[in-house]
Amino acid sequence: LFNVIASIYLENTVAAAKYNDIYQKRRRLSDQAMLAEKCGSVIELVWREFLNRGLAGEELAQALPPNARADEIVQKASAIHMSREFLESLHGHAAFRELLLDLDIAQEDHINLFQTLDV
C-alpha cells in the first residue's frame, strides 16, 4: 500500500512540474518585450561579430558608428549574408548560446541552426 501511495504522489509531482514548465515557456514566449529584447541582442551580437571579423566590407563598416542603436544595427544587419562557418563561430560564443536558450531554442537544435534558418 505504501508503494502505491508513493508512486501516485511521485506521478502527481512529475505531472505538476511538467505543467509548470509548459506554463512558464508559454508565458516567456508571449512576453513580446522580452522576445524583442532577446532578438535585438542576437542581431546586435551577430553584427558586432561580423564587423570584428572584417566581413562587412568598407561600405557597411563605415555606415554605422561603434555605438549605434539597436534599430540602426537591425536595418544594416539585414544586408548580412551568413556562411555556415560564420554561424558556427557564433555558436562558440557563450552569450550567443545563452540567447538561443533564452529564446527557447533547444540546445540540440543549435548544431543544425544553419539548416533551420535556411541561411
Side-chain angles (χ1 to χ4, degrees):
L1 181 64
F2 176 75
N3 287 342
V4 172
I5 294 171
S7 65
I8 290 172
Y9 175 75
L10 181 61
E11 185 177 322
N12 288 340
T13 303
V14 169
K18 190 175 187 179
Y19 174 78
N20 190 37
D21 287 345
I22 291 170
Y23 174 75
Q24 286 180 350
K25 181 178 181 178
R26 190 176 298 141
R27 202 175 95 226
R28 261 195 326 270
L29 290 175
S30 67
D31 184 354
Q32 295 297 316
M34 186 278 302
L35 184 62
E37 176 190 337
K38 296 297 179 181
C39 288
S41 296
V42 168
I43 292 169
E44 187 174 350
L45 191 138
V46 167
W47 176 254
R48 299 288 180 215
E49 186 64 19
F50 204 70
L51 288 179
N52 288 343
R53 291 181 175 267
L55 300 173
E58 285 298 314
E59 185 177 318
L60 278 177
Q62 292 178 359
L64 289 172
N67 59 348
R69 292 187 332 262
D71 61 327
E72 295 171 320
I73 293 172
V74 169
Q75 185 179 16
K76 291 296 180 180
S78 65
I80 291 176
H81 174 73
M82 281 195 267
S83 66
R84 179 182 297 275
E85 293 77 23
F86 179 71
L87 197 55
E88 287 173 358
S89 73
L90 282 173
H91 191 261
H93 291 275
F96 183 72
R97 291 190 308 270
E98 186 177 323
L99 285 167
L100 294 179
L101 290 173
D102 289 347
L103 290 167
D104 284 318
I105 298 172
Q107 193 166 9
E108 54 271 7
D109 292 336
H110 292 187
I111 295 171
N112 298 322
L113 198 57
F114 186 81
Q115 292 171 339
T116 302
L117 295 175
D118 194 27
V119 184

